[in-house]
Structures are given as C-alpha cells and as structure tokens.
Amino acid sequence: MKLDEFTEMMTGHFDNKEQFDKMQAEGKTYPYAEHVNTICNDKIKNLPEDFNGRFVVEESYYETNGKRHASPHLFLITETEQGILLSSYEIPEGEDKKVFSYASMKKVDYAELKKSEKFTPALYHEKDGIWEGGSISQFSPVMIFKLWEKFSNRCLEVSESMEVNGKRTFGYDEPIIYKRV
C-alpha cells in the first residue's frame, strides 16, 4: 500500500546536521533543524471503523544563532486516486501549541479535530521510489506559504517559504536536507 510506504519513509527522527556543518564551514547562515514525525492514531479516540489515514505529529525544531524554536504540526496523510494527500489539522484544544509533541499529546476524540482552513493540502506522487509534492497556501490576503518536499530512503528535502506582500519573510534558497538520525 502506497500510504504505508509513504508514512514509513517520512516518520522517525531526522536532522540536517551534515548540511548544517557544511554551511557553517562555508560561512553561511543556515538553521540547524530537526524533524520528529510520529504516527499518533493511537491517541485519537473514535476513529471511524473504515478509517484509512494516518495522523502524524510533526515536531519541527529550528536553531539559528543559538536561538531554538519549535514549530509543531498535526497532519493527516491519506491515499487518494491522485496520490498521497497531506492535510493540516489544528493542534487540539487544550494543548500548548508551543510545546506540542507526540509525548505530550493527550487522547483526543476524532470528532473534535479541526482541519486547518488556511493550509492547502499537499499532494505527493511517487516515481522510482522518490515521493515529491507540495502546495501553495494563501494564509491571508498578503501572506503566502509555499511548501515543496521530496522524500526518499536517503533523505527528506524540505523547501518552505513565507511571503508577505511578495517579500520572503521565512525560508531559504536551498531546501533543508534532513537525514534519519
């Protein structure tokens, strides 16, 4: 099943230490980043009997100039006729959005989960064992979020950028290259 193949490839603990060290040696400012992606269906009560998706807690950590910040997300990964679809969900009510993680996640009822209205679901296609896809989301009339990712057994390549009034406020020229820890 493609869904299992996709989630197996993108779940686990990853960092960009190799890329970060290279950038540092070249004198470039670049973040040290970690992704910890964990399937969390076991923490969601009352999933429909025929439910065929995987909820994933993505714990993203970024460190630049000694300052570290977390950026947690809750995603639902499903298999469609068009490919693998990644939809964003709001962090459940009562959870601390700043430190949300799989370990801290309390049990939540499926009916209480809310799909993010701002995030355009990302669609991924597989070719020769490599998954590639993304989306462009209009977060507000002046704010655009762009996501493009490429997943393989070797690494996760993630390009994210935020633009406000056409100017990039977040993101890098090169994708962050995460390798399994």
Side-chain angles (χ1 to χ4, degrees):
M1 206 164 124
K2 295 287 185 187
L3 179 64
D4 292 332
E5 182 183 308
F6 182 86
T7 53
E8 193 173 302
M9 195 171 284
M10 61 91 60
T11 54
H13 188 167
F14 304 85
D15 72 19
N16 73 331
K17 180 159 178 33
E18 188 177 308
Q19 179 187 36
F20 174 76
D21 289 345
K22 180 178 178 273
M23 294 290 204
Q24 291 288 103
E26 294 173 4
K28 296 178 182 173
T29 301
Y30 207 74
Y32 170 70
E34 287 180 88
H35 265 342
V36 181
N37 300 327
T38 310
I39 294 173
C40 63
N41 286 24
D42 61 317
K43 295 197 176 197
I44 300 171
K45 300 181 289 192
N46 300 316
L47 284 170
E49 260 185 57
D50 60 348
F51 188 76
N52 196 20
R54 308 287 184 279
F55 278 97
V56 173
V57 173
E58 177 187 89
E59 302 167 45
S60 297
Y61 303 97
Y62 302 95
E63 188 174 320
T64 308
N65 299 325
K67 292 184 180 168
R68 182 175 165 98
H69 76 276
S71 180
H73 300 282
L74 178 62
F75 292 113
L76 173 61
I77 302 167
T78 54
E79 188 170 349
T80 69
E81 286 183 19
Q82 294 78 31
I84 297 293
L85 196 65
L86 179 125
S87 303
S88 181
Y89 276 69
E90 301 296 332
I91 301 295
E93 284 291 319
E95 297 281 1
D96 185 341
K97 291 172 176 55
K98 292 180 186 143
V99 295
F100 181 70
S101 68
Y102 176 79
S104 73
M105 183 179 182
K106 298 170 196 74
K107 293 251 183 192
V108 61
D109 196 281
Y110 175 74
E112 294 174 24
L113 295 174
K114 295 180 184 116
K115 195 171 186 179
S116 170
E117 294 181 19
K118 293 179 183 177
F119 182 83
T120 301
L123 184 63
Y124 298 82
H125 297 99
E126 185 261 342
K127 184 178 179 197
D128 300 326
I130 297 172
W131 289 90
E132 200 165 349
S135 68
I136 298 175
S137 303
Q138 188 84 40
F139 282 6
S140 77
V142 298
M143 187 183 296
I144 295 173
F145 175 71
K146 295 178 182 176
L147 171 69
W148 189 257
E149 299 179 299
K150 189 193 281 189
F151 300 156
S152 69
N153 285 325
R154 195 177 68 76
C155 65
L156 310 179
E157 293 181 45
V158 180
S159 293
E160 298 174 296
S161 67
M162 188 77 73
E163 294 176 7
V164 177
N165 292 319
K167 292 184 181 161
R168 185 170 65 189
T169 59
F170 171 79
Y172 300 90
D173 294 335
E174 296 180 40
I176 295 178
I177 299 174
Y178 295 92
K179 294 197 173 174
R180 198 173 292 274
V181 176

